[in-house]
Amino acid sequence: MHDPTSSPSRSAADARALEAHLRALRIELADLPEHRREEVVDDVRAHVVDAAESGRPLPQVLAGLTAPAAFRSELGLPPRGDGSPLVAARVLQASAAVVALVSAALTLFGHVLSSVPWQAGTGQGQAHDLPAGLASGSVVAVAPAVVAVLAAALLVVPRGFAAGPGRSLRPAAHAVSWVCAVALTAATLVDLGGSGWWWFPAALLAWAAVVVPRRLRRAPSTRGTAVRRWLRAAVVLLPVGLWTGAVLVSQGLNPLEGGRSALHLAVVAALVVVGVLVGLGSRAGHVALAAAGALVMVLAVVEMGMLVLAVWWSGGVWLLLGLVGLVDSTARSRRSSTPGTPATA
Amino acid sequence: MQDLFVAVDAVEREGEERITTSLRKGLLELCVLALLARRDHYGLELADDLVARGLTASEGSLYPLLARLRDAGAVETRWESRDGSRPRRYYAITPTGRTQLAASTRVWRQTSAQVDELLEES
């Protein structure tokens, strides 16, 4: 397409001012099909270049244009949101799907183990019994995981399914999150005394994908968000306090005695820092908390110790709180940079 | 006392401007189609014509309207260079636009006659 801005008579500052206006217009109309958006940009660009060439000062020409947000409104488009509910739904739904896949593998593994008749004294199972174990576990393991993966794929992959006008979250996408949350809750409750508990963190993440985007659509109260942040911090700091106490009691009052105690102290110090950062609403703190949660979940699966479920849940809760805090802090920074949207604390 | 008159005058002027803007806004589409029905215009030319006739106060407000008319198929756009000059972005009315202009003209004539009649009665 022809580019009329190439006129040498315009100064570099004018060109920058024009491009800044056109960039703002493109951002404001980002949800229009590209050809329609570029037609509008070409209209405005041509007008500005023609007006500047006729001798009008560029600042005056730009001031006479309809502001990008008003342009959007004049086109009959709904006000453009900051996209936070959409991002939150996608991040939390995708996380729920990943955790659900691991839960499915663990459930399947548990069913295989419990179905193999152990031969007294040898510790060996019969290889031909494996398919029976797989078959019995496959429905309860695979069905909820498939629902979670499909829900995440629907929300993330086809842009038009989840993203409505003005970067809003479409009701259909919200309904998909509900279905996923119900399916993962059912997976938890169906076998509550057995493998159901593996599904608990995935179910929590799926419910967060339902609840958090709805909350982000509303204008939050400063007090409410601060309370939520420090509650999240308390969840990080409480086990740290208990753990430190346990280490001090078991190993005396010198926590630096031996390499293991030094490692404990380093972990405790790191978690205290993360807890305080989370309380202060730091995005880095929430990323660290989510990463720590994911790491603890991986360790739970790899170690398979006595308290494996407790460790798995703890990691799941940290992952959940880290991700929720992350989408909250992302919403806050987006809102502070988007005029006309309510800022969170 | 003089301050009061100044304030009343300012409020009246403001009210008049608001009414003018509101009435013009609804009529701008009809005016743009009428101008394009005469001949193709480039954007600045169209804006200057409307401003000169007192049909719009802000030339920038023309472009959302042109985008809406283009989306409705009433107007089409092209780049064209005339007399060896730099290419300009021209707007032309389409057959759909002409149909819309005819309908809008009919409605405007009926409505304006009815409004005139009403105002003469009061």
Side-chain angles (χ1 to χ4, degrees), chain A:
Chain A
M1 187 164 288
H2 171 74
D3 179 11
T5 57
S6 54
S7 165
S9 62
R10 291 218 343 269
S11 71
D14 281 359
R16 278 199 300 276
L18 171 58
E19 290 310 319
H21 181 87
L22 297 180
R23 195 163 46 247
L25 190 57
R26 277 197 179 96
I27 290 171
E28 198 61 48
L29 304 179
D31 53 330
L32 277 185
E34 191 182 354
H35 71 277
R36 279 180 66 193
R37 186 172 60 242
E38 290 309 311
E39 291 270 30
V40 168
V41 169
D42 279 350
D43 290 344
V44 175
R45 189 197 294 275
H47 171 84
V48 173
V49 172
D50 286 343
E53 275 203 357
S54 73
R56 296 188 208 172
L58 190 94
Q60 186 194 323
V61 177
L62 290 178
L65 293 173
T66 302
F71 204 117
R72 178 181 179 84
S73 164
E74 290 277 315
L75 289 181
L77 297 169
R80 183 170 164 272
D82 63 0
S84 302
L86 179 65
V87 171
R90 284 175 164 165
V91 167
L92 292 166
Q93 199 70 67
S95 309
V98 171
V99 176
L101 280 175
V102 180
S103 306
L106 291 167
T107 304
L108 210 52
F109 183 61
H111 274 264
V112 169
L113 279 188
S114 60
S115 70
V116 175
W118 296 96
Q119 292 178 352
T122 64
Q124 300 294 311
Q126 301 293 330
H128 58 76
D129 288 319
L130 281 176
L134 280 169
S136 68
S138 60
V139 176
V140 286
V142 175
V146 166
V147 172
V149 170
L150 279 179
L154 273 173
L155 256 73
V156 176
V157 181
R159 290 170 65 103
F161 179 79
R167 291 189 293 172
S168 61
L169 181 66
R170 282 189 192 279
H174 192 64
V176 165
S177 296
W178 264 98
V179 170
C180 176
V182 169
L184 294 180
T185 305
T188 308
L189 297 177
V190 157
D191 191 11
L192 203 54
S195 60
W197 289 117
W198 288 114
W199 293 91
F200 188 57
L204 283 181
L205 283 162
W207 281 113
V210 172
V211 173
V212 174
R214 283 180 71 89
R215 175 165 59 74
L216 290 176
R217 274 210 295 260
R218 297 192 300 267
S221 74
T222 305
R223 194 175 166 190
T225 49
V227 168
R228 265 195 301 276
R229 282 201 321 258
W230 285 105
L231 278 176
R232 285 198 287 265
V235 174
V236 181
L237 293 171
L238 184 67
V240 170
L242 295 174
W243 190 16
T244 310
V247 169
L248 289 176
V249 167
S250 64
Q251 305 202 6
L253 291 175
N254 182 4
L256 287 174
E257 188 184 319
R260 194 170 169 80
S261 295
L263 178 66
H264 282 167
L265 204 62
V267 171
V268 164
L271 288 174
V272 168
V273 170
V274 169
V276 172
L277 286 175
V278 164
L280 293 172
S282 151
R283 198 187 294 192
H286 287 111
V287 169
L289 180 60
L295 180 68
V296 168
M297 291 178 95
V298 171
L299 287 176
V301 174
V302 172
E303 294 274 334
M304 282 286 178
M306 219 166 63
L307 295 173
V308 56
L309 265 182
V311 178
W312 172 253
W313 288 353
S314 303
V317 169
W318 281 3
L319 176 64
L320 171 78
L321 295 181
L323 290 176
V324 170
L326 184 62
V327 294
D328 271 353
S329 60
T330 305
R332 188 178 67 233
S333 65
R334 282 181 176 213
R335 283 170 183 176
S336 62
S337 63
T338 309
T341 51
T344 60

